[in-house]
Amino acid sequence: MLELAMGIMLGLLGLGAGCAMIAGIGPGIGEGNAVAKACEAIGRQPECKSDVTSTMIMGCAIAETTGLYGLIVAILLIFVAPGIFTGILKEAIK
């Protein structure tokens, strides 16, 4: 019974890590749109290049943190959580 419970637990942890990595899609799309609009704005008003570029870089940096948080959650689910949940599961079955 313990092996089945551990198998289910590890499978669900892997599923959760995969779902957490989906968080990387949003920042990629958002940053692509931001860069496209920044290039469009610079094309319309070249004298605003420094303002548009600095704002775009700040926005991309903030958007990238969402993807990094998803990556950190996935790494924790893959490497840290199995040890924690295995100990809890063994204690609960005893």
Side-chain angles (χ1 to χ4, degrees), residues 25-77:
I25 295 172
I29 293 171
E31 289 175 29
N33 286 337
V35 171
K37 296 297 181 182
C39 290
E40 190 177 307
I42 292 171
R44 288 185 189 159
Q45 293 182 343
E47 65 273 1
C48 297
K49 181 181 177 185
S50 63
D51 294 336
V52 172
T53 303
S54 63
T55 304
M56 178 200 64
I57 289 173
M58 180 62 76
C60 286
I62 292 171
E64 189 66 31
T65 59
T66 306
L68 291 175
Y69 289 147
L71 176 67
I72 289 170
V73 168
I75 288 172
L76 288 174
L77 282 173

